[in-house]
Amino acid sequence: MKIKENNNKIETALTKICKREISQCSYEELYTALLEIVEEESKKHAAPVKGRKLYYISAEFLIGKLLSNNLINLGLYDDVKVCLETHGRSMAELEETEPEPSLGNGGLGRLAACFLDSLATLNLPGDGIGLRYHCGLFHQKFTNQLQRETPDFWLGGDEWAKRTEKTYTVSLAGKDYKARLYQLAVTGYEGRTNYLNLFDLDTIDDSVIREGISFDKTDIEKNLTLFLYPDDSDEAGRLLRIYQQYLMVSAGAQMILEECMERGSSLHDLDKYAAIQINDTHPSMVIPELIRLLCEKGITFEEAAEIVTKVCAYTNHTILAEALEKWPKYYLDTVVPQLVPIIEKLDAMVRERTQDGSTAIIDDYKTVHMAHMDIHFTHSTNGVAALHTEILKNSELNHFYRLYPERFNNKTNGITFRRWLLKCNPELTELIESLIGPEFKKDASKLEGLLAFTEDEAVLEKVAKLKRDNKEALAQWLFHTQNIAVNPESMFLIQSKRLHEYKRQQLNLLYLIHQYFEIKAGHMPKAPITAIFGAKAAPAYTIAKDIIHALLALSRVIGDDPEVSRWMQVVFIENYNVTAAEKMIPACDLSEQISLASKEASGTGNMKFMLNGALTLGTLDGANVEIAEAVGEDNIYIFGQSSSQVIRRYSNGDYCAREWYEVDSNIRRAINFLTGEEMLSHGTKENLERLKNELINKDWFQTLPDFNAYVVRKNQAIADYAQNPMDWARRTLINISKAGYFSSDRTIEEYNKDIWHLGEA
Ligand code: 26Q
């Protein structure tokens, strides 16, 4: 009865907005109309804030398409779907008309998006603050097996982020700019509506873009919010990053103070009104900026520093030294001279607190360490998985940990089940609901109820059948969007994440070459395999691009060889993004999480694959460690050096890749193949030789010592999959049932309990 009623309501609303019959409307019209309906509906769930409100500041929000997600969260999805189908229209086709927002690049940005969903779902007052990039992250194209970057003009006519009349003045290099606020409603699942606040300049002009994604980096007025992470291989690019960051934090800080004062704050009591989470070092300048603004309003420097410390908290997402931002002080002198005396005073305060020069904000070379400022002037520093936090405490940030042991804490990452189960895998969601009821949608720990069915053959068969259907759906999508044909009867092994040497797509590459030789020698894998990759490489990251090139060339080599392609296929998906991930993850049999132990802070793809019934092949790194603990060693494939072995190898400085290459004939054979005639017939010598030399002479992320263990474990997984499908299904069900801990609802509850205390006065 209810469905029918709502259905009619939706039908009436749609017809009214479109001014004609649903069957006569274009998908664009229907999309625009639904956008309006969602907007109206989400406004009803906006609620006044009492007590402390969170501001999550981040350079990235990788939010994905919003229509279906918002409809699900508002409880309208089924009604809209039925209504469209009644009129011969399809939800899937409608979804294709929506462009994916290009506001993020990887795990950190997707985490921010999952957090916004969980905050709203848990009825917690928490907004995001970021930038409205016009092109955001580049669009990836493959030509001649090489990655090419083109601008992603994702902003169209109808957008989720609404222009407001609010502007804030921001001074950049001594000149005033007007930062305009755009607001995007974030709907919670049966929860409240919060907002993602995005800042932009009215003067941005995409005609400054030249070839590919190059542009005049100095024309700030026109280029400031064009791209996310603009190429910073030259000084103009690095200065531009500072311009961007300051626009975001200055406008954000002004907005926060304005809101808090409107709600009654005297600013002396700011911590009763606001909690600010600094997502990695990109928003770190919010600290001196808030101090500057508080001082302007008559608060003393010392008190302002105390207030800011109480309000702000910092999340670290990496232990890679090169990703911890540090800037030559003269960059700041150029772009934000108003902050420099403040940062200098903070540095002086730190030098009073400790003799340990290694924790200084400004070092002897006049370099400003943003992470150091974060740790000294926030009340909380957290890592994003248990192992990561331990490594921060015991090695990377040990000097800080000794100064402030009480500030360090762990918050293991999580993912929103609304997008990564309900939205991307409705059939599995339905099966789970039929077995354990709907409570798991709001309380993910309820998934453990599935453990009662691990010996139930009928259920296991359904689980296996769903996976097979999702593989078929991915195969169709690949064919339809990328003209790639894959065999859904084969085992799908997926590695999708940013391309980075520490994530070791090159280890997977060496395995595939090894398999190629094995098949040639008549040693077939136990099941035909399809290795699927999705990854973008940073435009200036040469070796990462060479790894993409090698995988694309290998894909061709194998495709040309019927003897091998019957058993193995390599597929590299173009322009990997949230939309692609939503298709790939439900279709995965084996999830590849093979980073060099100690280097992946957490990983969140690992959680998404597990939740969708893939088994993990992984190193004991990041959150893999906690996944392994949750599912038990029989239900995961772990291999490789431990993080402590790796850390020891680095500190001894005695790793020599060439020795491994010389001693191990399989490794040598696989590496030499990179520049053999088969690869050169599809690839470019320069790129392949560079990669080969890198692996033999450097291999900074220690691929070679893990090679043999990886081959053995992976082949074991393939054999298990082939030889005992029911047992495989049983183990996937165990993985699903243990995924509850990795819900971002749990993560957000922990942040709230330990750090934010939202809603409390
Ligand atoms: C730094 C300096 C100069 C230019 C760019 C950057 C930069 C840009 C992006 C540094 C880091 C990033 C993004 C990092 C990131 O996505 N980290 C991932 O965060 C996830 C969420 O916590 C973790 O799960 C992943 O392990 C971590 O890699």
Side-chain angles (χ1 to χ4, degrees):
M1 192 57 210
K2 176 131 186 295
I3 285 225
K4 184 118 193 52
E5 237 168 66
N6 285 341
N7 215 342
N8 285 341
K9 253 176 39 197
I10 287 183
E11 187 172 306
T12 317
L14 276 177
T15 326
K16 189 165 158 221
I17 300 169
C18 297
K19 299 195 184 62
R20 51 192 159 136
E21 290 256 315
I22 295 173
S23 56
Q24 306 297 310
C25 299
S26 69
Y27 279 114
E28 284 74 20
E29 284 173 303
L30 290 170
Y31 170 66
T32 310
L34 282 168
L35 208 135
E36 207 176 294
I37 293 172
V38 166
E39 204 187 359
E40 281 310 304
E41 194 62 29
S42 43
K43 270 190 204 145
K44 295 183 196 159
H45 300 264
V49 179
K50 286 201 237 44
R52 208 177 270 125
K53 170 176 171 182
L54 171 72
Y55 299 90
Y56 196 88
I57 311 192
S58 175
E60 301 182 35
F61 286 92
L62 191 46
I63 52 186
K65 293 188 184 187
L66 293 170
L67 179 63
S68 293
N69 195 254
N70 282 335
L71 290 172
I72 290 174
N73 283 357
L74 293 167
L76 297 173
Y77 184 86
D78 291 336
D79 301 328
V80 170
K81 189 160 181 277
V82 170
C83 170
L84 291 175
E85 281 165 3
T86 316
H87 295 273
R89 316 314 299 267
S90 115
M91 192 71 199
E93 276 184 60
L94 176 64
E95 258 180 42
E96 278 180 29
T97 62
E98 179 177 357
E100 177 175 323
S102 190
L103 298 172
N105 124 105
L108 161 155
R110 184 53 235 176
L111 186 77
C114 285
F115 281 5
L116 292 185
D117 181 279
S118 285
L119 281 158
T121 298
L122 295 170
N123 275 309
L124 293 168
D127 280 4
I129 293 178
L131 290 176
R132 179 176 178 265
Y133 305 104
H134 290 231
C135 299
L137 189 67
F138 64 89
H139 181 98
Q140 179 190 54
K141 274 195 119 37
F142 297 144
T143 39
N144 298 327
Q145 281 73 254
L146 292 164
Q147 169 178 292
R148 295 269 175 259
E149 301 89 23
T150 60
D152 182 357
F153 294 106
W154 70 278
L155 286 173
D158 300 299
E159 276 130 39
W160 293 99
K162 300 290 172 209
R163 183 182 197 271
T164 73
E165 291 310 313
K166 264 215 156 39
T167 58
Y168 298 93
T169 303
V170 175
S171 167
L172 296 161
K175 195 169 158 218
D176 282 352
Y177 292 80
K178 206 165 69 177
R180 180 173 302 280
L181 172 67
Y182 288 72
Q183 283 197 311
L184 186 156
V186 178
T187 58
Y189 182 70
E190 296 172 3
R192 62 180 278 133
T193 293
N194 288 323
Y195 288 91
L196 172 53
N197 302 285
L198 299 172
F199 292 102
D200 197 2
L201 301 181
D202 290 345
T203 49
I204 300 302
D205 177 359
D206 60 29
S207 72
V208 301
I209 302 173
R210 298 188 297 246
E211 170 93 41
I213 53 168
S214 68
F215 61 98
D216 177 359
K217 288 182 186 154
T218 56
D219 199 345
I220 297 308
E221 201 166 283
K222 294 186 176 163
N223 71 22
L224 194 57
T225 52
L226 276 178
F227 292 102
L228 167 65
Y229 303 138
D231 168 32
D232 61 358
S233 55
D234 58 15
E235 189 165 298
R238 291 190 286 277
L239 288 172
L240 178 54
R241 283 179 57 84
I242 302 179
Y243 280 107
Q244 288 190 326
Q245 295 181 355
Y246 187 66
L247 185 84
M248 169 171 81
V249 303
S250 175
Q254 293 177 56
M255 186 190 84
I256 293 169
L257 294 187
E258 188 180 274
E259 274 192 15
C260 292
M261 286 189 301
E262 271 168 25
R263 291 173 47 221
S265 171
S266 67
L267 295 186
H268 297 280
D269 58 358
L270 190 64
D271 64 309
K272 303 273 180 286
Y273 292 82
I276 297 175
Q277 193 68 31
I278 301 174
N279 198 26
D280 221 282
T281 51
H282 321 138
S284 301
M285 282 186 288
V286 74
I287 292 172
E289 176 64 3
L290 273 172
I291 294 176
R292 189 183 72 82
L293 293 168
L294 290 172
C295 291
E296 255 182 22
K297 296 192 193 304
I299 293 175
T300 65
F301 188 92
E302 287 65 29
E303 197 199 347
E306 263 174 48
I307 294 172
V308 168
T309 306
K310 278 194 272 181
V311 167
C312 293
Y314 159 64
T315 303
N316 174 288
H317 295 266
T318 185
I319 61 160
L320 297 182
E322 67 267 26
L324 286 182
E325 288 179 301
K326 39 188 188 297
W327 303 113
K329 191 172 83 61
Y330 77 89
Y331 283 14
L332 302 182
D333 285 328
T334 308
V335 182
V336 285
Q338 63 275 39
L339 293 190
V340 174
I342 296 170
I343 296 173
E344 282 169 345
K345 270 195 180 175
L346 294 177
D347 180 61
M349 282 170 76
V350 167
R351 289 174 189 276
E352 297 247 301
R353 282 185 203 172
T354 168
Q355 302 283 304
D356 182 354
S358 74
T359 72
I361 297 176
I362 306 174
D363 69 17
D364 297 346
Y365 304 95
K366 299 215 178 319
T367 302
V368 181
H369 295 253
M370 304 315 264
H372 296 189
M373 185 164 69
D374 291 323
I375 303 171
H376 287 297
F377 292 97
T378 65
H379 65 283
S380 162
T381 291
N382 76 281
V384 288
L387 175 68
H388 170 57
T389 303
E390 286 310 303
I391 294 174
L392 292 181
K393 291 198 303 198
N394 300 328
S395 49
E396 292 308 304
L397 300 178
N398 179 256
H399 290 195
F400 293 91
Y401 177 57
R402 288 205 214 159
L403 268 179
Y404 312 111
E406 72 293 343
R407 291 187 184 182
F408 279 74
N409 63 97
N410 177 56
K411 296 287 167 282
T412 297
N413 282 167
I415 56 172
T416 166
F417 283 27
R418 270 72 61 185
R419 185 175 288 271
W420 298 110
L421 181 63
L422 277 60
K423 157 80 178 56
C424 76
N425 204 341
E427 299 81 11
L428 179 61
T429 306
E430 204 176 302
L431 174 65
I432 296 173
E433 191 164 351
S434 74
L435 297 172
I436 60 169
E439 287 81 23
F440 70 94
K441 296 179 187 175
K442 288 207 106 168
D443 176 1
S445 68
K446 288 280 189 305
L447 282 178
E448 291 234 10
L450 291 172
L451 286 175
F453 301 94
T454 53
E455 303 300 330
D456 184 330
E457 286 223 355
V459 170
L460 297 181
E461 264 163 26
K462 282 188 193 156
V463 170
K465 159 104 181 27
L466 280 183
K467 181 62 78 181
R468 174 69 182 67
D469 292 347
N470 287 332
K471 287 161 74 173
E472 179 72 46
L474 175 61
Q476 285 190 11
W477 180 79
L478 278 173
F479 192 69
H480 165 69
T481 58
Q482 321 222 341
N483 205 20
I484 299 172
V486 295
N487 170 17
E489 298 300 333
S490 63
M491 181 177 183
F492 283 13
L493 303 89
I494 306 189
Q495 186 172 15
S496 55
K497 46 183 82 257
R498 281 308 296 264
L499 214 135
H500 203 294
E501 286 165 282
Y502 83 79
K503 297 181 188 278
R504 297 198 300 186
Q505 283 94 348
Q506 70 275 34
L507 177 57
N508 201 339
L509 167 72
L510 293 179
Y511 168 88
L512 295 167
I513 297 173
H514 176 75
Q515 272 305 312
Y516 172 87
F517 280 111
E518 291 295 295
I519 294 169
K520 285 281 186 199
H523 308 140
M524 307 309 174
K526 296 285 189 263
I529 59 171
T530 301
I532 303 176
F533 293 85
K536 289 182 181 176
Y541 192 170
T542 308
I543 287 293
K545 290 170 111 173
D546 291 342
I547 295 171
I548 294 183
H549 180 62
L551 282 161
L552 285 168
L554 179 65
S555 168
R556 289 287 180 105
V557 171
I558 293 171
D560 280 356
D561 187 331
E563 197 187 347
V564 180
S565 57
R566 205 172 311 137
W567 289 99
M568 174 166 71
Q569 199 183 347
V570 176
V571 171
F572 209 121
I573 292 178
E574 202 173 49
N575 200 43
Y576 178 63
N577 58 10
V578 177
T579 309
E582 288 170 14
K583 309 277 181 205
M584 292 160 75
I585 288 168
C588 176
D589 294 308
L590 193 69
S591 146
E592 304 253 12
Q593 307 299 334
I594 61 176
S595 54
L596 177 64
S598 79
K599 295 295 179 191
E600 187 70 271
S602 160
T604 44
N606 46 4
M607 303 168 185
K608 294 165 199 163
F609 283 109
M610 170 198 197
L611 175 63
N612 283 275
L615 299 198
T616 303
L617 170 61
T619 47
L620 277 180
D621 198 14
N624 294 353
V625 175
E626 288 154 85
I627 293 178
E629 277 165 15
V631 299
E633 60 181 346
D634 292 342
N635 302 306
I636 189 166
Y637 295 91
I638 295 293
F639 73 95
Q641 307 182 85
S642 69
S643 56
S644 42
Q645 280 171 308
V646 171
I647 290 168
R648 210 171 314 125
R649 227 194 262 274
Y650 275 119
S651 70
N652 293 344
D654 60 0
Y655 173 57
C656 175
R658 184 175 283 278
E659 281 171 17
W660 292 79
Y661 171 79
E662 279 168 2
V663 169
D664 189 312
S665 59
N666 283 338
I667 291 179
R668 201 165 54 245
R669 183 177 68 171
I671 293 182
N672 287 346
F673 184 79
L674 287 172
T675 52
E677 60 176 319
E678 293 89 345
M679 288 291 275
L680 288 177
S681 69
H682 292 288
T684 308
K685 197 163 173 210
E686 186 193 344
N687 302 72
L688 295 168
E689 259 178 7
R690 190 165 44 216
L691 178 57
K692 179 179 170 184
N693 286 335
E694 184 80 21
L695 284 169
I696 299 174
N697 297 317
K698 192 167 167 210
D699 189 26
W700 180 246
F701 294 102
Q702 304 178 17
T703 311
L704 307 188
D706 280 349
F707 175 77
N708 283 301
Y710 179 53
V711 172
V712 169
R713 262 339 242 158
K714 191 153 165 173
N715 287 342
Q716 181 66 51
I718 297 169
D720 290 348
Y721 171 87
Q723 288 161 354
N724 200 342
M726 272 302 104
D727 195 54
W728 186 273
R730 184 182 64 80
R731 295 192 296 148
T732 71
L733 191 59
I734 292 176
N735 269 265
I736 300 168
S737 69
K738 294 289 186 182
Y741 179 73
F742 302 102
S743 162
S744 47
D745 297 349
R746 186 268 313 150
T747 313
I748 288 297
E749 268 165 356
E750 287 182 12
Y751 272 94
N752 191 35
K753 179 169 72 61
D754 299 342
I755 305 172
W756 301 331
H757 311 289
L758 304 178
E760 292 171 27

